[in-house]
Amino acid sequence: MRVVDAFEEFKRRLAKHGVVPETTVSEALDRLRASDPELADVLRAIVLFTVHRGRGLAADSH
């Protein structure tokens, strides 16, 4: 599997739970915690890594 394919699958899984690009991180985490806690953990890890590395999203994440 290529990295791009893995990210596309991740986006598809998010979309199944109503998480679209316009969804805030906090909204996405709330939805996913209720419906797919494992996916919520993955998203949270990505956000924490991104914020930690100084690449944005800080205003929207928690």
Side-chain angles (χ1 to χ4, degrees), residues 14-59:
L14 290 174
K16 286 181 184 178
H17 297 279
V19 177
V20 296
E22 296 79 20
T23 308
T24 66
V25 171
S26 58
E27 290 172 334
L29 289 173
D30 288 345
R31 288 181 194 171
L32 293 173
R33 282 184 190 120
S35 60
D36 190 336
E38 182 181 23
L39 190 56
D41 289 344
V42 172
L43 178 59
R44 184 174 181 275
I46 291 169
V47 170
L48 288 175
F49 175 79
T50 303
V51 171
H52 177 72
R53 301 290 290 181
R55 296 194 180 124
L57 297 178

